[in-house]
Amino acid sequence: MKLPYVAVALLILSTAYSAMVSFSQPSFSQPSFSQKKRGGLSWIFPESASRAVRFSVGALTLALLAGLALLLGMGTVNSTHRSSRFLIPEGYTGWIRIEFEVQGAPPLRMEGGQYVLRIPSEGVLRTSSAEQYGWAKNSYYYYSAQGVRSLPDSGSAVLIWGKINGEESGASGKRKYEEFFVGTEQQFRGQVKENNKGKE
C-alpha cells in the first residue's frame, strides 16, 4: 500500500532536483579568474542568479518536502486498520468467506477495539461493513457452547491458510470478499488440488 507514496516521493524529489539543476548553466569555456578564485562554478546556481531566485527555489523545495512528509504521514495512518477477531465454529475445516458491503446485512460488531467476525456454521459471513485495508494482527478462535479456544495461525500447528482478498461481479453488482482456509496443511493442499482439477 505504500508503493504509491514512494512514487509520489520520487516524483516530488525529481521535480525539486530538476528545478535546482535548471539554474545551473554549465559552460564549456574556461572559467574566469574570479570563478577560479572562489573555487569554481556553482553546482546549483549560476553566478548571475540573484538572492531572490536562490531563496525562492530553496523555499519551494522545503515546501514540497514538507508536503511530502505530511502526505506520507496521513497515508501511514490511513493504511492501518483495527485488528479482527475471527470466531470459527468448533471443529470447522474448509474455506471461510466474508462478503462485504452487502445491503441489509448487519455491520461488524466491535469489542475491545477489535472487529468481531462470528462465522456461521456454513462458513460464509455477510456484512454491510466495508472491507478494511492495511496491516493488522488478527486473531482466530474456535467457538462452541463451552466457550472459545485460540486457533494457531503460525508455527508447525498452523490452521489458517491461503488468505486472499478479491472482488467479483454478480447480479447485485460488484462485491468485495475475503477468504481463507481452516485446517491442516495437508487438508489445504488437498483442497487446492481439488479446485485445480475442477478448473481443467
Side-chain angles (χ1 to χ4, degrees):
M1 294 298 289
K2 292 185 178 180
L3 287 178
Y5 301 110
V6 174
V8 171
L10 292 175
L11 177 61
I12 292 176
L13 289 176
S14 62
T15 302
Y17 176 78
S18 300
M20 291 188 296
V21 171
S22 66
F23 285 99
S24 178
Q25 298 176 350
S27 175
F28 296 101
S29 60
Q30 291 295 321
S32 65
F33 175 77
S34 62
Q35 290 171 336
K36 288 181 179 179
K37 190 174 181 180
R38 286 194 297 271
L41 293 170
S42 171
W43 177 68
I44 298 177
F45 297 105
E47 296 298 324
S48 60
S50 67
R51 181 175 294 178
V53 171
R54 294 168 188 256
F55 177 80
S56 298
V57 172
L60 178 61
T61 302
L62 288 176
L64 286 172
L65 292 177
L68 172 63
L70 180 62
L71 179 64
L72 290 176
M74 291 174 62
T76 301
V77 171
N78 292 334
S79 66
T80 59
H81 66 86
R82 295 180 186 273
S83 60
S84 298
R85 190 186 326 154
F86 293 88
L87 301 178
I88 302 164
E90 179 70 36
Y92 181 93
T93 59
W95 288 100
I96 296 287
R97 181 181 174 98
I98 300 96
E99 297 184 350
F100 299 96
E101 300 177 15
V102 178
Q103 291 185 358
L108 293 178
R109 186 165 55 93
M110 290 287 295
E111 188 177 292
Q114 285 185 309
Y115 290 108
V116 178
L117 293 84
R118 189 181 181 93
I119 309 300
S121 58
E122 65 271 17
V124 179
L125 173 66
R126 295 178 178 87
T127 176
S128 58
S129 298
E131 183 179 14
Q132 299 294 306
Y133 295 99
W135 183 90
K137 178 62 176 175
N138 298 325
S139 53
Y140 303 83
Y141 299 86
Y142 273 141
Y143 72 87
S144 65
Q146 286 70 42
V148 298
R149 65 182 180 93
S150 181
L151 206 143
D153 60 347
S154 62
S156 58
V158 64
L159 292 175
I160 303 298
W161 302 92
K163 190 169 184 177
I164 60 171
N165 296 79
E167 183 178 279
E168 63 183 12
S169 298
S172 58
K174 290 185 178 180
R175 179 168 295 175
K176 296 180 181 179
Y177 66 89
E178 178 179 315
E179 289 183 341
F180 59 89
F181 186 85
V182 181
T184 64
E185 182 177 6
Q186 184 177 3
Q187 289 172 323
F188 172 63
R189 292 184 181 278
Q191 187 68 49
V192 170
K193 187 179 292 186
E194 285 295 321
N195 291 344
N196 290 338
K197 283 183 179 179
K199 295 177 180 177
E200 291 177 356

